[in-house]
Amino acid sequence: MRKTTSLGFILASAMALTGAAYAATGGHDGGRHFGGHGHHGMHEAFAKLNLTDAQKASIKQITQASREQNKGQWQALRTQREAFEQMTPDQVGYQAAAARLAQVEGQATQARIEQRAKVKAQIYAVLTPAQKAQLATMRSEREARREQWKEFRNSHPAPATSTAQ
């Protein structure tokens, strides 16, 4: 469970950073497609902000620099995770390796959150006051839609499925 959760956090952060680059470039980045299911909204948000070419270039540079800066750290974490996965629970040092991996995963999560906040602040600094206000409005609208969906889902529960026949 911990591995899946940590991996999910890592993938989510990587996708968030690359999604910003994708959105900032108008959906194209040198022939590579970043996109992904979760970034459609981000792309739409940046498209609605009518970023200038200079803003798009700045955002792209910010996200690429962040990605390059973290590449080695994420590769080292991946290598350590793969080494641990190759071990069997009866091997000498298995518990110690698990403890080391847990510590590294915790540090990686902290670094990811801090880096994500730094990138977000840098991107936010590129926006004009009007774009910042528009972004805040879009966030509020998204939250309102999310709350409406939760209310709808709670008032219309899915029918129970029966596995016994």
Side-chain angles (χ1 to χ4, degrees), residues 55-113:
Q55 287 175 312
K56 290 176 185 178
S58 292
I59 291 171
K60 182 177 179 179
Q61 187 274 329
I62 290 165
T63 56
Q64 286 178 340
S66 174
R67 201 170 30 254
E68 287 301 316
Q69 180 183 10
N70 292 321
K71 188 183 278 186
Q73 177 187 5
W74 298 124
Q75 182 57 44
L77 178 61
R78 183 179 300 118
T79 301
Q80 187 169 357
R81 190 180 299 121
E82 288 170 356
F84 176 73
E85 290 299 316
Q86 295 300 315
M87 296 180 77
T88 59
D90 60 350
Q91 275 183 281
V92 174
Y94 180 79
Q95 293 299 325
R100 281 191 307 274
L101 181 60
Q103 184 177 13
V104 171
E105 293 275 2
Q107 292 168 348
T109 298
Q110 180 179 352
R112 177 192 50 81
I113 291 169

Side-chain angles (χ1 to χ4, degrees), residues 1-60:
M1 177 69 174
R2 180 183 300 250
K3 177 185 168 195
T4 303
T5 303
S6 297
L7 184 57
F9 286 145
I10 291 167
L11 291 174
S13 66
M15 288 174 38
L17 294 175
T18 56
Y22 174 75
T25 60
H28 302 285
D29 186 29
R32 294 179 297 176
H33 175 73
F34 289 113
H37 175 71
H39 301 295
H40 183 68
M42 186 181 300
H43 177 66
E44 280 184 18
F46 279 114
K48 289 179 182 177
L49 293 178
N50 298 317
L51 297 173
T52 65
D53 289 341
Q55 287 175 312
K56 290 176 185 178
S58 292
I59 291 171
K60 182 177 179 179

Side-chain angles (χ1 to χ4, degrees), residues 139-155:
R139 280 189 187 132
S140 296
E141 291 169 353
R142 184 180 67 235
E143 284 300 317
R145 285 191 307 271
R146 182 177 291 142
E147 287 302 316
Q148 287 175 342
W149 172 246
K150 285 180 183 178
E151 289 174 18
F152 175 80
R153 196 176 61 208
N154 288 338
S155 65

